[in-house]
Amino acid sequence: MKRSSSPTPPEAVPVSSAASGQAAKPSAIVAATSDSLPHQVQALARARSFAEPLLSSEQLDTGENILAHADAVAAILNDIGGSEAMQAAAYLVYACQYLNRPQDVIAKAFGDNFAALAVETTKLVQLQRQTRAKTAEVQAKKDEERQAAQDQALPLASPGKSSVSELAASQTENVRKMLLAFSRDLRVVMLRLASRLQTLRYFAASKGDPGEAMASESLHVFAPLANRLGIWQIKWEMEDLAFRFLEPQTYKQVARLLDEKRAERETHVEQVRMQLEQDLLRQGVTASVQGRPKHIYSIVKKMRGKSLNFDQVFDIRALRVVVPHADDCYAVLALVHAQFTPVTEEFDDYIAKPKPNGYQSLHTVVRDVQGRAFEIQIRTQAMHDHAEHGVAAHWAYKEAGAKGYAGVAASSEYDAKIAVLRQLLAWERDLSGTGQGLFDDRIYVLTPDAAIVELPQGATAVDFAYTVHTSLGHRCRGARVDGTMVTLNTPLQNGQTVEITAAKEGGPSRDWLNADLGYLVSHRAKSKVRAWFNAQAMEETVARGREAVEKLLQREGKTALKLDDLAVSMGLASAQELFEHVGKDELSLRSIETHLRPAEPALAATEMPLWIRKPRKSNSGSPGGVLVVGVDSLMTQLAKCCKPAPPDDIGGFVTRGKGVSIHRADCSDFAHLRKKSPDRVIDVQWGGQSASSRGSDSFYPVDVAIEALDRQGLLRDISDVFAREKMNVIGVQTQSVKGVAWMTFTIEVTDARQVARAMSVVGDVAGVRVVRRK
């Protein structure tokens, strides 16, 4: 099988396995994914044969032939220890976009596992392509605006290069978000890293320019990701290539300085390495001595970070000594200082005083007899693992045999996955020179089975539980963070593993909605808790309404009546809705009682009393302050079900022997009466006199319904509000069930607008949830 081999750029520093000491061992991510695809006989050859007719004549948007690109990606995966199955997947990813039903076709030919990986990786490729296209579109628009401004001699706010950098930074953030989102499948990350490295190699070999956006995201997103995952070959080469495109002149200058004495330097380092290894062996110290290559980008970073000239970068010649125990580190240091001349101002003891991130090692710079300076790092294997893999070296899942949400037992593969995922979550904090990540408003934590959960900054275990599943949130009773019990309002941090202790049944605590206690941060969790309590309140409301309706039916001797039929006959959809209206006092029992009794025969027009049919010349107001349109001196009464008050919209209903009953136009009882006997409904209106002219005795009783969290002093606080508003309370009904109080205040007003003002103030009383006029 043929594979294209892209040449290494002339200025790039090659990485040999002997020099790095890393290529001989697969990285953590390779170990975590090596068995993730099922072994198939000749999978690589079959995948290439499958993809070749689809890809051989196609090109990527970079201009590279797709089949050649897939060949190179497979070769890179092979170099870092990826399985043959992973290499085969590289071809299937690029074949996806040329298949009508890629999931089904690939699954049939290679199995569901290969199909899922190919489709998932293709999604990420397409998202990144769309992001790149959008960035290019925005940049083109900015360029047009800038050119137009120049043509009109208008001042510009900022130079073009700055604008490009801003767009590149924006795209970098978007790419990083996408990688984190897709990092649940580590194989996707491997494929994307290999693909991006090959793209940079292609531009280097063809002397093309990938553009600042791609080079920047390669340097600031993909290379740090490879570093976090322990894929050093990709990390070092990608950094050098990306830096070459971003700052070509600086890159060539440093590369020329390195090349001038490369052979001499490498020979010297190898001589010192062999001599030191033999001396340690004679002293009885078992140690691994390795040459440590220095790459162009890391050299430039050190020169800029410490304001050094090239000749002052001592660790261009560098060795690393790895020993079994911490005591051996100081023994090696004594031997090194005895054989070479130490540069005292360049010695650092990070074992006695570790760096803030936990890094430990001895750093010393020495000179040989010719005066040539070189750096030696001395550390134990545990220190080396921490330096190379970060905190993931110490964050393996601690509870052996523990079961996660999916019942996954801890294992070596599981440990590797945990370590890698933790690194994925930590790497974003290191990308910003200010020490602040781009995702200050988001954190990423893990479930016990290593699934990534995205949460807002400051989120708690309760937020986490509701994000995993609403039911888990309702039943949440405790939490372990990295194996340690914590309170439920403890803010979570990036990379922590969260395990929820849940009851078999139950609901949330009302304390969770108290912002001062800090149990909930995410809007989703808050809405779920509110919805649960609203549902509970609705159940209580419906139960209260059912009880009232059933008692009424018993009094009326109508227990055989089907409740659903009663609801439908009253214009409601179901018995549940009937109970809800009654429980909320939106439908009175009097209305149901009237509905259940036989309808009285309607009066013919000729049978109506003369005082209704015959209009009066006078249009003076009735004693109740209500006028029946076209009729004078007609007896009226205000309905007790809705208690109207001016200036409410009102309607009249002719009763038997009690004149006209006046209802609010929105009264549910009035709606049922109007539906049942429309011929007895008449138009009415309030009298023309103002409240003041009607006299101080023109007061109207109005009911205000209140729902609140029950507490000591609640009734007093609400009564005080009515007193301050100078409203006379003539009746109070209260009921408290499971910590929720339902109250009905009957107050006297001269104008219904006073009620709206009082309700607004009552709504501000602590604990009050709902205020409405009945």
Side-chain angles (χ1 to χ4, degrees):
M1 182 185 72
K2 293 183 178 180
R3 279 208 185 105
S4 66
S5 178
S6 299
T8 302
E11 299 88 346
V13 181
V15 180
S16 65
S17 60
S20 68
Q22 297 296 327
K25 294 190 296 182
S27 67
I29 191 171
V30 176
T33 59
S34 60
D35 298 325
S36 60
L37 288 171
H39 175 72
Q40 294 184 9
V41 177
Q42 295 185 331
L44 181 55
R46 289 175 53 235
R48 192 182 191 282
S49 298
F50 175 86
E52 184 173 6
L54 298 171
L55 308 180
S56 58
S57 59
E58 300 293 340
Q59 286 187 336
L60 296 170
D61 53 2
T62 61
E64 184 181 10
N65 177 269
I66 298 183
L67 183 62
H69 183 87
D71 284 337
V73 169
I76 292 171
L77 292 172
N78 180 62
D79 290 342
I80 64 174
S83 65
E84 185 177 292
M86 274 298 300
Q87 298 171 53
Y91 294 98
L92 302 180
V93 167
Y94 294 99
C96 267
Q97 59 185 313
Y98 299 101
L99 297 171
N100 290 329
R101 300 172 62 187
Q103 184 95 32
D104 296 339
V105 174
I106 296 176
K108 187 174 181 180
F110 295 90
D112 293 335
N113 211 315
F114 278 95
L117 173 58
V119 171
E120 193 75 1
T121 308
T122 302
K123 288 180 185 177
L124 179 55
V125 172
Q126 292 172 344
L127 283 173
Q128 290 177 336
R129 188 175 297 156
Q130 291 169 4
T131 301
R132 196 177 302 123
K134 182 65 176 178
T135 302
E137 179 183 336
V138 173
Q139 180 57 40
K141 185 176 181 180
K142 286 183 176 290
D143 290 343
E144 290 178 4
E145 293 173 353
R146 184 176 298 104
Q147 186 60 48
Q150 290 175 346
D151 292 342
Q152 299 177 26
L154 296 176
L156 296 179
S158 59
K161 185 68 175 178
S162 174
S163 175
V164 175
S165 299
E166 291 173 3
L167 287 171
S170 175
Q171 179 171 325
T172 295
E173 179 179 353
N174 291 332
V175 170
R176 183 144 54 103
K177 286 181 178 179
M178 284 183 273
L179 280 171
L180 280 172
F182 281 84
S183 62
R184 291 168 175 83
D185 191 335
L186 302 178
R187 303 167 302 177
V188 175
V189 178
M190 285 182 66
L191 288 166
R192 293 308 300 140
L193 285 173
S195 176
R196 175 52 58 92
L197 177 58
Q198 170 52 26
T199 297
L200 294 177
R201 286 180 176 180
Y202 167 76
F203 279 112
S206 62
K207 301 189 183 303
D209 183 4
E212 182 179 356
M214 180 179 287
S216 178
E217 72 182 33
S218 298
L219 183 63
H220 299 297
V221 178
F222 285 88
L225 176 56
N227 178 51
R228 282 290 181 179
L229 300 179
I231 310 177
W232 317 115
Q233 301 96 310
I234 290 181
K235 181 256 187 186
W236 289 322
E237 186 177 352
M238 191 176 289
E239 281 183 342
D240 279 358
L241 287 172
F243 181 68
R244 171 186 178 180
F245 294 120
L246 289 171
E247 300 186 42
Q249 296 304 319
T250 304
Y251 179 92
K252 290 178 181 178
Q253 180 182 2
V254 176
R256 185 170 59 252
L257 292 172
L258 283 172
D259 285 337
E260 285 177 356
K261 299 182 179 180
R262 179 187 299 275
E264 174 191 339
R265 184 172 62 253
E266 290 180 352
T267 300
H268 173 252
V269 169
E270 181 59 19
Q271 289 175 349
V272 174
R273 189 195 70 80
M274 292 177 62
Q275 177 187 347
L276 184 57
E277 198 170 57
Q278 292 171 2
D279 291 342
L280 290 173
L281 192 59
R282 282 195 293 268
Q283 295 291 330
V285 178
T286 304
S288 169
V289 184
Q290 304 163 355
R292 189 167 62 87
K294 200 67 179 176
H295 296 271
I296 292 176
Y297 180 64
S298 61
I299 292 173
V300 173
K301 278 206 305 183
K302 173 162 281 191
M303 290 171 62
R304 289 174 174 173
K306 296 187 176 183
S307 300
L308 302 175
N309 295 323
F310 182 79
D311 293 338
Q312 295 175 296
V313 181
F314 297 125
D315 57 347
I316 290 176
R317 295 180 174 90
L319 292 173
R320 179 180 294 130
V321 182
V322 180
V323 295
H325 307 291
D327 292 342
D328 297 330
C329 294
Y330 292 97
V332 172
L333 178 67
L335 179 63
V336 168
H337 283 183
Q339 287 190 340
F340 304 99
T341 302
V343 180
T344 55
E345 63 270 18
E346 292 294 332
F347 172 71
D348 292 295
D349 186 350
Y350 294 119
I351 294 179
K353 294 182 179 180
K355 291 185 178 181
N357 62 3
Y359 173 88
Q360 288 184 294
S361 187
L362 297 177
H363 290 195
T364 184
V365 175
V366 296
R367 295 183 184 275
D368 62 8
V369 291
Q370 286 81 25
R372 293 172 295 191
F374 55 94
E375 183 191 61
I376 298 180
Q377 295 178 354
I378 309 168
R379 59 178 66 151
T380 66
Q381 185 63 48
M383 296 173 190
H384 179 68
D385 289 340
H386 182 86
E388 297 296 302
H389 298 281
V391 290
H394 305 289
W395 273 352
Y397 193 60
K398 296 178 181 178
E399 298 182 19
K403 299 290 184 179
Y405 290 113
V408 179
S411 64
S412 58
E413 292 80 6
Y414 180 85
D415 291 347
K417 185 178 182 182
I418 284 286
V420 170
L421 285 175
R422 287 193 179 278
Q423 293 293 53
L424 281 174
L425 302 178
W427 71 289
E428 63 91 14
R429 294 195 297 269
D430 298 336
L431 294 185
S432 173
T434 62
Q436 296 180 341
L438 299 176
F439 298 143
D440 288 340
D441 59 336
R442 311 298 297 170
I443 62 170
Y444 294 85
V445 297
L446 304 173
T447 67
D449 58 343
I452 296 177
V453 177
E454 181 180 355
L455 295 169
Q457 185 73 33
T460 66
V462 184
D463 291 300
F464 169 87
Y466 275 105
T467 303
V468 172
H469 197 280
T470 300
S471 174
L472 183 64
H474 289 337
R475 297 180 291 108
C476 175
R477 295 296 178 269
R480 289 181 180 272
V481 175
D482 290 338
T484 302
M485 289 296 297
V486 299
T487 58
L488 289 179
N489 58 355
T490 301
L492 301 176
Q493 304 295 327
N494 256 331
Q496 292 179 326
T497 293
V498 184
E499 183 178 0
I500 298 298
T501 302
K504 291 185 178 180
E505 56 185 13
S509 166
R510 288 194 179 277
D511 286 342
W512 295 357
L513 291 175
N514 187 333
D516 295 334
L517 298 180
Y519 282 99
L520 294 175
V521 172
S522 73
H523 296 298
R524 180 180 187 275
K526 291 177 182 178
S527 66
K528 293 294 183 182
V529 174
R530 290 193 189 100
W532 190 90
F533 282 112
N534 289 340
Q536 295 299 305
M538 181 59 68
E539 288 179 8
E540 294 166 359
T541 299
V542 169
R544 191 167 59 251
R546 174 187 285 274
E547 182 182 5
V549 171
E550 288 176 348
K551 286 182 178 179
L552 172 64
L553 293 179
Q554 288 176 356
R555 289 198 305 267
E556 295 293 325
K558 302 284 187 179
T559 54
L561 181 63
K562 292 183 178 179
L563 294 171
D564 280 327
D565 293 342
L566 172 61
V568 171
S569 68
M570 298 190 71
L572 300 173
S574 64
Q576 182 84 1
E577 187 175 348
L578 172 64
F579 303 149
E580 180 181 340
H581 279 288
V582 173
K584 290 181 176 179
D585 292 329
E586 294 175 353
L587 178 63
S588 69
L589 294 176
R590 183 191 301 273
S591 178
I592 301 176
E593 186 178 336
T594 302
H595 180 81
L596 291 172
R597 291 173 180 171
E600 298 178 5
L603 293 176
T606 56
E607 296 175 344
M608 282 190 177
L610 180 62
W611 48 267
I612 293 181
R613 293 185 290 110
K614 185 178 179 180
R616 302 279 186 180
K617 292 182 181 179
S618 176
N619 199 30
S620 61
S622 66
V626 180
L627 295 176
V628 179
V629 176
V631 181
D632 192 15
S633 300
L634 183 62
M635 182 173 64
T636 61
Q637 60 177 339
L638 301 180
K640 294 180 180 180
C641 57
C642 58
K643 293 184 171 63
D648 291 336
D649 292 334
I650 53 177
F653 185 81
V654 179
T655 66
R656 291 290 185 180
K658 295 182 180 180
V660 178
S661 179
I662 308 301
H663 295 259
R664 293 209 317 260
D666 59 353
C667 174
S668 57
D669 285 8
F670 183 58
H672 290 297
L673 293 171
R674 183 166 46 201
K675 181 178 180 181
K676 188 175 181 179
S677 303
D679 54 332
R680 298 172 66 179
V681 175
I682 60 176
D683 292 333
V684 296
Q685 65 185 30
W686 297 107
Q689 294 172 307
S690 66
S692 59
S693 64
R694 284 196 296 268
S696 60
D697 57 344
S698 298
F699 289 101
Y700 298 85
V702 173
D703 286 342
V704 176
I706 300 170
E707 179 186 335
L709 299 177
D710 201 3
R711 60 175 175 81
Q712 188 174 3
L714 177 64
L715 180 61
R716 181 200 61 227
D717 292 346
I718 296 176
S719 299
D720 287 347
V721 170
F722 290 121
R724 287 197 302 271
E725 293 295 320
K726 296 181 173 52
M727 294 180 180
N728 187 33
V729 178
I730 60 176
V732 180
Q733 294 179 346
T734 65
Q735 182 180 10
S736 181
V737 180
K738 295 183 179 179
V740 179
W742 283 273
M743 301 179 174
T744 300
F745 284 80
T746 303
I747 58 177
E748 287 184 332
V749 298
T750 59
D751 191 306
R753 284 169 290 208
Q754 293 177 278
V755 182
R757 186 168 58 253
M759 288 168 57
S760 175
V761 180
V762 170
D764 294 333
V765 174
V768 173
R769 300 198 302 195
V770 178
V771 184
R772 62 180 178 83
R773 184 176 168 191
K774 292 183 62 175

